[in-house]
């Protein structure tokens, strides 16, 4: 029996912590503050591309309808609950039927990417080249933006494809590097983030949710900046994989429960939003950063509780099974075809 690769779990554990921390910091208005802007650039430069890359490593083409429906069930469960939750706290959910709200875009995009897995397996080079072209040039299209998570799905798709095709090799390679090589790539990664910070690059580029028209740039400028940001994401992802380690610690457990943490943490963050909105008016920014770090650790720790993860998986699998039940009659029963041919 193959043993579980704890490097994947540990990487997911670290990344889901950065997701929670980034969403907490985002509620404090960090982009205009020199102290809070630094961790935001660090987090948003790579955390979702890295997550998508790791998702590609574990993606499979078996039981494709169940895998796709699982994410759609979670999406259409989270959206109404989150809108109701925000209404309770007198917050604006910015409702739009065609636009997945806030962090729920990832659930829809995962459904898209999983659909492409059979094509990745059948036409690996063609899909790889196509995904890179779409990721770099997709921002040209004026009609595809935040609606139906189109822009993010295109921009982050290459990371999923690369993860599917070469993820395990990259993971092994990153872990086998010598210390001086790790330090070199770490310096390159942090240097790229330093450039983003010092040049005050528009943070919406890291969200991947808007096309070039929103940034008022030419096509060469848009493609060039998209490429630079992608290179930064690659370097930061490699840095994570180089130093992540392979022990089965609590970080690995958090990583195994990362989907449940991702789905539920938004409710906690939005519940805390009324307290976080005006913190810069009463607290120093270093103290705000410390508070958000402590809150992120607590939220990640509590939401990694096993029963939460098991309940979410039971719910999504049960609803998925019920939705697919009517189609079970259309599937040929095993052995029926062979019986007819033998007679």
């Amino acid at each position: 029996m193959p043993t579980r690769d704890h490097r994947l779990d540990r990487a997911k554990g670290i990344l889901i912590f950065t997701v929670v921390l980034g969403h907490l910091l985002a509620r404090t208005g960090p982009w205009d503050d020199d102290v809070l802007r630094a961790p935001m650039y660090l987090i948003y430069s790579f955390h979702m591309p890295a997550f998508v890359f790791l998702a590609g490593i574990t993606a499979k083409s078996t039981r494709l309808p169940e895998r796709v429906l699982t994410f759609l069930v979670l999406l259409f469960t989270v959206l109404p609950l989150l809108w109701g939750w925000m209404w309770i706290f007198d917050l604006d959910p910015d409702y739009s039927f065609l636009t997945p709200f806030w962090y729920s875009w990832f659930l829809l995009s995962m459904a898209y990417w999983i659909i492409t897995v059979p094509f990745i397996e059948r036409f690996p080079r063609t899909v790889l080249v196509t995904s890179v072209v779409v990721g770099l040039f997709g921002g040209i299209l004026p009609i595809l933006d935040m609606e139906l998570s189109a822009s993010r799905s295109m921009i982050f798709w290459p990371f999923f494809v690369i993860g599917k095709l070469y993820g395990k090799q990259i993971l092994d390679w990153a872990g086998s590097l010598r210390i001086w090589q790790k330090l070199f790539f770490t310096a390159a990664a942090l240097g790229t983030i330093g450039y983003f910070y010092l040049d005050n690059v528009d943070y919406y580029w890291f969200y991947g949710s808007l096309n070039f028209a929103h940034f008022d740039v030419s096509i060469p400028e848009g493609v060039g900046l998209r490429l630079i940001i992608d290179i930064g994401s690659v370097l930061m992802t490699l840095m994570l994989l180089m130093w992540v380690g392979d022990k089965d610690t609590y970080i690995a457990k958090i990583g195994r429960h990362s989907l449940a943490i991702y789905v539920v943490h938004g409710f906690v963050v939005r519940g805390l939003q009324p307290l976080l909105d005006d913190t810069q008016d009463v607290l120093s920014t270093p103290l705000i950063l410390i508070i958000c770090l402590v809150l992120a650790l607590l939220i990640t720790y509590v939401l990694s509780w096993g029963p939460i993860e098991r309940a979410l998986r039971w719910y999504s699998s049960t609803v998925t099974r019920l939705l697919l039940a009517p189609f079970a009659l259309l599937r040929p029963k095993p052995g029926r075809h062979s019986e007819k041919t033998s007679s």
Side-chain angles (χ1 to χ4, degrees):
M1 293 292 292
T3 57
R4 188 179 183 95
D5 194 335
H6 299 301
R7 291 174 299 174
L8 280 174
D9 295 329
R10 288 171 63 90
K12 288 181 179 179
I14 294 170
L15 288 171
I16 196 61
F17 167 75
T18 65
V19 169
V20 178
L21 176 59
H23 286 162
L24 286 169
L25 287 171
R27 308 276 73 78
T28 68
W31 293 107
D32 296 325
D33 182 88
D34 289 340
V35 174
L36 297 180
R37 207 159 41 90
M40 289 296 284
Y41 273 117
L42 187 67
I43 291 169
Y44 279 84
S45 66
F46 86 106
H47 73 321
M48 291 316 298
F51 243 131
V52 175
F53 171 79
L54 297 179
I57 295 179
T58 56
K60 299 177 181 178
S61 57
T62 56
R63 299 175 56 244
L64 200 64
E66 289 87 345
R67 297 181 189 278
V68 173
L69 263 182
T70 294
F71 285 99
L72 295 180
V73 166
L74 292 175
L75 172 67
F76 289 110
T77 301
V78 165
L79 285 178
L81 290 177
L82 193 57
W83 291 327
W85 183 253
M86 294 187 66
W87 176 79
I88 292 174
F89 288 91
D90 197 26
L91 301 172
D92 181 15
D94 192 21
Y95 171 80
S96 174
F97 182 75
L98 294 177
T99 303
F101 175 65
W102 190 29
Y103 72 113
S104 65
W105 70 266
F106 179 71
L107 302 174
L108 180 57
S109 293
M110 274 300 302
Y112 292 153
W113 296 325
I114 290 174
I115 292 173
T116 69
V117 170
F119 300 97
I120 298 172
E121 294 175 346
R122 181 67 178 85
F123 311 103
R125 294 181 181 179
T126 301
V127 177
L128 175 60
V129 173
T130 301
S131 70
V132 172
V133 171
V134 167
L136 292 176
F137 292 87
I140 297 173
L141 302 175
I143 59 173
L144 296 179
D145 211 335
M146 297 182 69
E147 293 80 7
L148 298 175
S149 190
S151 180
R152 282 163 163 154
S153 298
M154 292 188 297
I155 286 173
F156 297 132
W157 186 31
F159 294 92
F160 183 85
V161 177
I162 293 171
K164 173 62 181 174
L165 293 176
Y166 309 110
K168 292 181 180 179
Q169 297 95 309
I170 293 173
L171 191 62
D172 292 337
W173 173 79
S176 66
L177 293 177
R178 297 182 179 181
I179 186 68
W180 70 266
Q181 293 171 314
K182 293 181 179 181
L183 291 173
F184 171 79
F185 280 108
T186 299
L190 295 179
T192 305
I193 306 308
Y195 159 73
F196 295 148
Y197 176 83
L198 294 174
D199 200 49
N200 201 17
V201 174
D202 191 334
Y203 59 90
Y204 277 103
W205 280 103
F206 301 103
Y207 292 169
S209 57
L210 302 174
N211 55 45
F212 294 164
H214 286 272
F215 299 102
D216 194 25
V217 295
S218 65
I219 292 175
E221 289 174 324
V223 173
L225 191 50
R226 182 78 263 158
L227 178 60
I228 293 172
I229 290 173
D230 285 350
I231 291 173
S233 300
V234 169
L235 289 173
M236 287 294 295
T237 301
L238 287 176
M239 186 183 77
L240 171 66
L241 299 179
M242 289 171 193
W243 300 105
V244 71
D246 59 357
K247 292 183 179 179
D248 187 13
T249 61
Y250 200 85
I251 296 176
K253 176 191 173 184
I254 290 173
R256 288 192 288 272
H257 298 172
S258 58
L259 180 59
I261 299 171
Y262 187 88
V263 169
V264 180
H265 88 280
F267 295 89
V268 182
V269 171
R270 289 295 180 170
L272 293 172
Q273 181 172 337
L275 300 176
L276 296 171
D277 276 343
D278 301 320
T279 49
Q280 289 203 43
D281 296 334
V282 295
L283 299 175
S284 64
T285 49
L287 183 57
I288 292 173
L289 179 57
I290 293 173
I291 290 173
C292 287
L293 280 168
V294 172
L295 286 174
L297 286 169
L298 288 174
I299 293 170
T300 305
Y301 175 79
V302 172
L303 295 185
S304 66
W305 190 41
I308 296 177
E309 191 267 347
R310 289 192 293 271
L312 189 73
R313 290 191 179 277
W314 173 86
Y315 167 77
S316 59
S317 62
T318 301
V319 176
T320 297
R321 188 166 57 251
L322 291 173
L323 291 173
L324 290 175
F327 300 94
L329 298 176
L330 301 178
R331 297 180 181 178
K333 294 182 179 180
R336 177 174 294 182
H337 179 72
S338 60
E339 290 176 1
K340 288 184 179 179
T341 54
S342 62
S343 60

